[in-house]
Amino acid sequence: MPDRYARMLDLAVEVMGAEAPELVWPLLTAELLTALDGELIVVKEVPWTRDQGSVVIRSPEPLPEVGSGDGSVQAYIRSGYPFIDRYGATSDWTPQSAARVVGARTWRNSPTADALRQAFGTRHVFGLPLPERGPHVSGFLVHRSGGDFSRHDERYAARVQPLLKAATAHRSLLMALRASSGSARRRQANQALAAPLTPRETNVLHLLATGLTAEGIGRRLGISPRTVHKHLNALYRKLGAADRLSAVLRAQDASLLPGPAEPSGAHPSPAGGNLPHPPQPRKLSRT
């Protein structure tokens, strides 16, 4: 355990010095998978329901495609069984496996365990929550196909909880700072135009950048296609553009829209070089 804890401590120190929020989850999840001998990990950052919410998992190995709909594996993952009932209703944030929370036989015969076995071949899930107030439970769910997680795993997870909590808070701060900076730049760019965009024109611009047609934009905003075309004509005039593509490009150049995503490169390894490359994320569902 000292080696596992020391690695996480070094990693948490590195994360706290990071300036890019997208580096946080890959680094943390890679180390948790190594330390807990997991095969995939689910990051639970935002509230889920059985019908809504992105389910993001990370795994060193390619994962099978998972369908959507009632009774699907992502619905079982979102339901959080049995951890949501334990952590959402009590102040006991002790990391534990699903089999230890409800009993080995109950877990083994549950629909959730059956769905995970069929989808990923995993048999045990370990809940590592991040303590916080309120009914919303966040944290990590580590999956493995071998034997159940041990008491040593529980003690390690309990020890690194404060480090994970601090790293997560740092990530949230980085995200907030980025959003605030982006909003300020967009406000300045809009004010720099000869005729600033109206709130409605800004909405139309963002929807235009997603590739929606005038009819689609109208349905989204509850206005007629004719009204959409009026807003588009105003947009083109203010941006000095002749068509959709040039309008989007000029808006990106002016920081009114986010620029194209930069190609993802290799994530830097923590100091010491003893950690694996971060596993690639798989987003099962987004609504």
Side-chain angles (χ1 to χ4, degrees):
M1 176 151 60
D3 291 339
R4 292 192 296 177
Y5 179 75
R7 287 203 311 265
M8 180 59 78
L9 179 59
D10 289 342
L11 181 56
V13 171
E14 179 175 348
V15 165
M16 296 301 288
E19 297 181 359
E22 58 270 12
L23 295 180
V24 175
W25 288 143
L27 293 174
L28 294 180
T29 55
E31 176 56 22
L32 286 174
L33 284 172
T34 299
L36 294 172
D37 194 23
E39 294 165 30
L40 66 89
I41 186 169
V42 178
V43 179
K44 189 180 190 309
E45 185 179 16
V46 297
W48 299 338
T49 69
R50 288 183 66 87
D51 302 317
Q52 295 183 2
S54 297
V55 175
V56 179
I57 67 177
R58 293 181 178 273
S59 172
E61 303 298 330
L63 295 171
E65 293 295 333
V66 179
S68 59
D70 294 338
S72 65
V73 66
Q74 59 261 54
Y76 284 115
I77 293 175
R78 288 194 201 99
S79 70
Y81 174 84
F83 302 107
I84 191 65
D85 292 334
R86 174 180 176 82
Y87 299 128
T90 72
S91 57
D92 181 2
W93 299 100
T94 304
Q96 282 189 328
S97 71
R100 194 159 284 128
V101 171
V102 294
R105 178 177 297 181
T106 300
W107 167 249
R108 185 170 57 248
N109 296 325
S110 68
T112 298
D114 184 60
L116 295 175
R117 280 194 300 269
Q118 293 187 36
F120 306 121
T122 56
R123 296 180 176 276
H124 294 283
V125 182
F126 187 79
L128 205 173
L130 298 177
E132 57 185 279
R133 297 178 181 177
H136 168 42
V137 180
S138 63
F140 307 90
L141 298 174
V142 183
H143 295 234
R144 70 158 64 146
S145 59
D148 196 8
F149 295 85
S150 68
R151 295 293 186 184
H152 291 292
D153 293 329
E154 291 179 2
R155 287 193 287 271
Y156 160 78
R159 198 175 181 195
V160 301
Q161 264 181 322
L163 301 179
L164 295 171
K165 180 71 174 177
T168 302
H170 180 65
R171 181 183 183 279
S172 297
L173 176 61
L174 291 175
M175 294 289 287
L177 290 174
R178 176 176 288 181
S180 175
S181 175
S183 297
R185 286 197 302 269
R186 285 190 289 274
R187 285 196 300 271
Q188 293 172 356
N190 193 26
Q191 292 168 359
L193 293 177
L197 304 183
T198 66
R200 177 63 85 186
E201 290 166 355
T202 301
N203 290 339
V204 170
L205 175 63
H206 280 80
L207 294 175
L208 184 73
T210 67
L212 286 177
T213 64
E215 290 74 14
I217 295 173
R219 285 193 298 270
R220 186 72 64 87
L221 298 178
I223 58 179
S224 70
R226 182 177 180 181
T227 302
V228 172
H229 282 294
K230 289 182 179 180
H231 290 309
L232 290 175
N233 289 334
L235 276 172
Y236 295 165
R237 184 179 67 255
K238 293 179 178 180
L239 292 170
D243 53 29
R244 172 194 294 262
L245 179 59
S246 59
V248 170
L249 292 176
R250 286 179 180 272
Q252 289 175 341
D253 289 340
S255 298
L256 292 170
L257 287 174
E262 296 180 359
S264 57
H267 295 291
S269 297
N274 57 353
L275 298 184
H277 292 293
Q280 295 302 309
R282 164 70 64 82
K283 191 163 290 187
L284 297 184
S285 175
R286 169 174 284 176
T287 55

